[in-house]
Structures are given as C-alpha cells and as structure tokens.
Amino acid sequence: MALVSDRFRDLRARGECALIPFITAGDPDLGTTAAALRVLDQNGADFIELGVPYSDPLADGPVIQAAATRALNHGVTLDAVLGMVKALQPPLQAPLILFTYYNPILNRGIDQFMADLAAAGIAGLVVPDLPLEEVDALLAGAAAANIDVTLLVAPTSPPDRIAAIAAQAQGFVYLVSVTGVTGVRSELQGRVKDLIDNLKQSTDKPVGVGFGVSDPDQAQQLKAWGADGVIVGSAFVKRLAADTPEIALKTIADFCQSLKAALV
C-alpha cells in the first residue's frame, strides 16, 4: 500500500498536480461504488477520497448530504464499506483516502479503527470535525497503522494556526477554498491564490485544495496558483447519481479524464 506522502513525492518529481476525486460510498449501492473506484483509478485519479455515509455531515453540502442519506437508507455501514474496499481485485493503483467524521472513530476506538483501515488497504484519512487540539491520539494511532492523516485548513484560519495545522498534517494539507460546506461553485474566489501562498510559506508539504471545484478550468487555475492537488467532490457525486449506473460510470470516466488532462 503506497503512502499518500510517497505518491505526492512521485507526482512532484514529474511536475504533476494530483487529481483527487471524492465519491460517497454506497450511493447508489456498494457494487456501483466498487465499479466507480475502478473507473476513477483507470481514468486519471492520483488518489481517491471515499466518504463514509454519516447522519450529521456538517461539512457537506446538499449534494453529498443527499448521497449520504440515500446510502444510509440502504443500510450502508462502515464495516460494509471497508469490506467492499478490501474485496477490490485487482487492488487500486491510486491510494484510497477515507473521509469520515470523528464519532465513528470514537465508537470503535482509535487503535481498532486504524487497524481496520489498514487491513482494508486504506492509505489516508480525513476527519473534518476533528480540531487540532484533539488530534494527538488520532495521529499516534494512525502512525502505528501506517496511515497518513490529512488535516484541514479553513480560509478563516489565522497564520499561527495555519502553521500549527501544517506542522501536524500528514500526506498533504487540505485547504478548504470557501467558507461553508462542500458544493459545486461556478467560479473560484480570487483569495484562494493568497491562501495557497500563505500556506506554502508555512510548510513544504503538498497543498490540496477542495470544496467547490467543479470543472477542468478551475482545476487548471488552482494548479497555476500553486496547488499540489485538487479535490473534486460534489461534481463527481452529482454525476454518479444522475443516471443509471452504466451511463453514470461512463460519465465520471470522461469527467475524470478531462480533469486530469488539465493538471498534467
């Protein structure tokens, strides 16, 4: 299993900006999720962020919230998601990053949670509701399981907090490009360039930018502004839910290719 940090190192050596699609596990069903993971892996994804459906997704906008609700209504659980990932054959080339809120981790226990992720082949973890002040135990458990924990920087974070988050983040630093929740935006805010610049003054770790990225032009703009990775979520989730699985899988394959072409 390739570490997130190792893959970013390889991409930097080639001068590429990473494409990181996000999909919600279990929407419309876990079989389609497994197929979507393979499709993304084969069509330009450098990493794939996989969201575990959760009943109170505070960081997620309406598209991803609706996807999580549908998955929960179908009975999708964390164990089912990890089982699906573990059963993927052949294994994915793109490292998988699990996106989950902190309550499921606490309920299972940090060490057991990390062990279960490692056994399933998960390489990284994003926990959007975990504050910096409470991250030490999670980082220790993740280190024992060889999993990179990515921390988020908000656009409202002051410089000293940005530096502190960047110092603790593993794999890459996740820069939230907007104040608010996830969702497709028609254009990027100009201040994102300043946020990337400020973050790069605090760390030499890769910077991935997400929340609101929806098309190849925006992805290319983020690369030009210095981003090392671009996370695209709602635009993939929306396409995957828009039609039959067969048509939707072809749609996300084409979309993934177009995004990656903008980042090479």
Side-chain angles (χ1 to χ4, degrees), residues 52 90 175 189:
V52 177
L175 174 60
Q189 297 179 10

Side-chain angles (χ1 to χ4, degrees), residues 135-162:
V135 78
D136 288 349
L138 190 72
L139 291 178
N146 210 28
I147 291 171
D148 284 330
V149 177
T150 293
L151 302 181
L152 288 81
V153 169
T156 54
S157 299
D160 57 342
R161 189 166 183 84
I162 288 175

Side-chain angles (χ1 to χ4, degrees), residues 110-151:
I110 290 174
D111 292 342
Q112 186 62 56
F113 182 87
M114 294 301 177
D116 292 343
L117 262 58
I122 300 292
L125 178 65
V126 176
V127 186
D129 60 342
L130 179 65
L132 178 65
E133 292 75 14
E134 299 178 21
V135 78
D136 288 349
L138 190 72
L139 291 178
N146 210 28
I147 291 171
D148 284 330
V149 177
T150 293
L151 302 181

Side-chain angles (χ1 to χ4, degrees), residues 185-264:
R185 268 78 172 182
S186 60
E187 61 183 22
L188 297 171
Q189 297 179 10
R191 65 174 180 161
V192 175
K193 182 182 185 302
D194 294 332
L195 292 169
I196 295 171
D197 290 341
N198 292 342
L199 189 49
K200 293 217 160 194
Q201 291 173 13
S202 300
T203 183
D204 60 357
K205 294 174 182 175
V207 175
V209 182
F211 283 50
V213 184
S214 61
D215 61 45
D217 288 343
Q218 291 176 351
Q220 191 172 56
Q221 182 66 77
L222 288 172
K223 180 187 179 183
W225 285 344
D228 300 287
V230 175
I231 302 108
V232 182
S234 294
F236 274 105
V237 174
K238 186 176 182 178
R239 283 167 169 80
L240 196 53
D243 217 315
T244 65
E246 293 79 8
I247 294 174
L249 290 171
K250 177 64 167 63
T251 300
I252 66 167
D254 293 343
F255 184 50
C256 193
Q257 289 177 13
S258 68
L259 288 166
K260 184 57 184 177
L263 295 175
V264 175

Side-chain angles (χ1 to χ4, degrees), residues 28-71:
D29 54 68
L30 285 174
T32 303
T33 300
L37 292 174
R38 288 190 288 266
V39 164
L40 295 172
D41 189 48
Q42 295 164 4
N43 286 278
D46 297 296
F47 307 86
I48 304 172
E49 195 173 353
L50 182 63
V52 177
Y54 185 63
S55 58
D56 191 20
L58 298 178
D60 295 321
V63 171
I64 296 177
Q65 282 193 24
T69 298
R70 290 191 295 266

